[in-house]
Amino acid sequence: MTTCCKSWILTLPLLFLLALPALAAEDEGGAAGPAKTVCQQCHGGMQGRLGAPVGDWEHSVHRENGISCHDCHGGDPTDFAMAMSPDRGFLGAPEEAEIPAFCGRCHIGVRDDYLDSKHGRALGEGGPQCVTCHGNHAVQRASLALINDKDCTRCHSFGRAARIRAALASTDNKIDDLEKAIDALRRVGIAVKPLRGKVFSARNNFHRLFHTVDVDRVHEGTASVQAELDKVAGRIAEIRSELSTRKLWGGITVVLLLVAGVLSLLLRKTYQDEEREEADR
Ligand code: HEC
Ligand code: HEC
Ligand code: HEC
Ligand code: HEC
Ligand code: HEC
């Protein structure tokens, strides 16, 4: 066996030793995130409606943002025996009519828009609530895909839903385009943080608008969000034109330098020719 392979075999155990701490960490709490709470441990081992929430929640936007069982349901996530005691703030599972308040503890603006809407006013009388549209445990990042023929026609026709969707869609496209333009600026070394911040806040205000389910209010709100976005678009256009003027001057400088180079070559050549002629004489 050559020496190269012997030393390679010797490194193997070493690599294994180096990997040990990482493997141990994996055992404790999973690759990402903190150790499991008692809620996850006990419910994770149960079947049916008591066990399902754990798997659904694993892939949710809430899990991604560190919102766990006890953040919604209350209770003590560290004590097996007392976990679901009302003394430890356990709230249980909300009834249908309580859900907007339950979710609205954290999503205050959405809750207010919703309660004020035709949907909110029909709560408990056939109107949809948060979970009807977003689900309870498998909540995903919100998008216009939630407004679709299948989900919105359970209770009424799609006509009004389609108008709201259309009003929102044009703004959605605008936001996408701006985000792409901002990325392009970032790639050529422009500081884009303030621009990004403006688009981000306009985007949040805009995504909330839906809950009014009021075509007129969506149009009004869309107008002010669009005005915000137009300002960002104007600033991007300015930066681009500054960049292209810089490029133009860069181009002109290169051409001038080339011309100067050619001229000096020509001059040198005539000079040398004259010298040669002089020497010939
Ligand atoms: C030792 C096991 C165990 C632990 C720990 C535990 N649960 Fe439960 N949980 C149960 C069982 C069993 C039920 C069904 C019987 C009942 O409602 O008491 C239940 C029911 C529930 C319900 C439904 C209640 C309802 O009104 O229908 C919720 C919500 C819930 N648990 C959340 C939690 C949360 C949040 C935690 C952690 C703070 C937690 N559980 C910890 C075993 C557990
Ligand atoms: C974003 C808030 C939220 C989080 C996080 C959350 N739940 Fe729930 N959970 C709810 C809501 C809302 C309901 C009532 C749902 C309904 O009526 O559709 C509910 C219902 C339940 C129920 C009763 C199910 C039934 O069919 O009776 C159990 C059990 C439960 N949750 C356990 C958990 C466990 C365990 C976790 C953590 C893995 C968890 N929940 C995380 C919001 C949440
Ligand atoms: C009729 C269906 C429906 C109901 C009811 C509903 N939503 Fe939404 N929600 C949507 C749609 C559709 C969007 C995405 C709109 C968009 O992309 O412009 C959304 C967006 C969101 C967002 C992201 C926007 C933001 O401001 O961060 C949150 C959070 C949210 N909903 C929470 C809730 C809560 C909490 C409730 C109950 C109070 C609720 N939703 C009720 C359909 C619904
Ligand atoms: C304890 C606080 C808390 C509760 C209660 C809560 N959420 Fe959230 N929710 C968050 C946080 C934090 C995020 C991630 C940050 C963000 O995007 O707003 C989030 C994100 C979301 C999003 C994605 C927002 C987006 O930008 O697309 C939706 C939709 C949502 N929650 C719906 C719900 C629903 C429905 C309920 C009730 C079943 C609920 N939330 C209960 C804290 C909470
Ligand atoms: C669980 C039943 C239910 C579901 C699901 C539902 N709606 Fe509604 N919707 C209602 C009720 C009830 C009203 C109020 C009575 C009416 O105007 O028909 C309403 C009214 C509306 C209105 C009219 C508001 C106004 O100012 O006149 C719009 C727009 C609307 N819904 C859009 C949607 C969209 C978009 C979805 C799907 C994301 C949806 N709805 C899903 C029950 C529902």
Side-chain angles (χ1 to χ4, degrees):
M1 204 184 273
T2 61
T3 37
C4 92
C5 302
K6 269 188 215 147
S7 60
W8 169 231
I9 283 175
L10 284 176
T11 20
L12 276 182
L14 202 73
L15 280 177
F16 181 71
L17 284 177
L18 284 175
L20 266 184
L23 290 175
E26 190 111 14
D27 250 6
E28 274 166 22
K36 282 190 175 142
T37 63
V38 298
C39 325
Q40 285 164 262
Q41 288 177 44
C42 190
H43 280 270
M46 290 196 267
Q47 301 289 317
R49 68 173 190 96
L50 293 176
V54 181
D56 288 345
W57 166 83
E58 294 275 347
H59 307 286
S60 70
V61 66
H62 287 125
R63 158 83 189 261
E64 225 174 78
N65 285 277
I67 303 294
S68 192
C69 320
H70 58 283
D71 292 310
C72 279
H73 289 291
D76 187 342
T78 63
D79 187 336
F80 261 99
M82 295 295 285
M84 298 198 299
S85 161
D87 292 344
R88 304 279 170 92
F90 185 63
L91 300 169
E95 296 291 325
E96 161 117 15
E98 296 163 357
I99 288 177
F102 187 87
C103 304
R105 283 176 294 157
C106 302
H107 300 291
I108 298 162
V110 173
R111 178 198 62 197
D112 292 348
D113 283 349
Y114 163 83
L115 287 176
D116 202 29
S117 75
K118 286 252 168 91
H119 279 166
R121 274 180 258 140
L123 178 63
E125 292 157 24
Q129 33 76 16
C130 323
V131 166
T132 320
C133 299
H134 292 286
N136 49 15
H137 296 110
V139 177
Q140 300 300 314
R141 214 156 257 305
S143 79
L144 292 184
L146 287 167
I147 309 177
N148 59 67
D149 213 339
K150 181 168 154 278
D151 293 331
C152 304
T153 54
R154 277 165 50 193
C155 312
H156 50 65
S157 73
F158 194 63
R160 288 174 296 185
R163 276 172 64 206
I164 288 205
R165 196 190 148 108
L168 293 168
S170 67
T171 308
D172 224 17
N173 290 339
K174 204 168 201 164
I175 291 176
D176 278 352
D177 289 348
L178 286 181
E179 279 176 346
K180 277 187 204 123
I182 289 175
D183 271 343
L185 289 183
R186 186 182 51 82
R187 280 197 295 274
V188 297
I190 308 286
V192 295
K193 223 172 171 187
L195 288 178
R196 226 190 253 297
K198 284 207 181 95
V199 172
F200 184 77
S201 84
R203 172 185 218 139
N204 276 355
N205 290 336
F206 159 72
H207 282 290
R208 245 185 61 193
L209 266 180
F210 167 78
H211 297 99
T212 64
V213 288
D214 179 335
V215 178
D216 294 336
R217 275 182 70 188
V218 167
H219 276 300
E220 272 164 36
T222 304
S224 74
V225 167
Q226 294 242 7
E228 253 335 278
L229 293 174
D230 284 342
K231 271 191 222 149
V232 176
R235 183 66 196 117
I236 289 177
E238 268 170 40
I239 295 176
R240 276 189 179 152
S241 93
E242 276 162 29
L243 279 177
S244 61
T245 339
R246 234 186 275 164
K247 238 189 235 161
L248 183 65
W249 278 112
I252 291 175
T253 316
V254 169
V255 170
L256 286 177
L257 282 175
L258 275 176
V259 170
V262 170
L263 277 180
S264 82
L265 266 181
L266 283 177
L267 277 176
R268 196 139 115 229
K269 193 156 177 294
T270 5
Y271 180 69
Q272 280 170 346
D273 285 353
E274 271 170 17
E275 258 187 350
R276 221 173 287 140
E277 271 168 31
E278 208 125 295
D280 283 353
R281 253 186 245 143

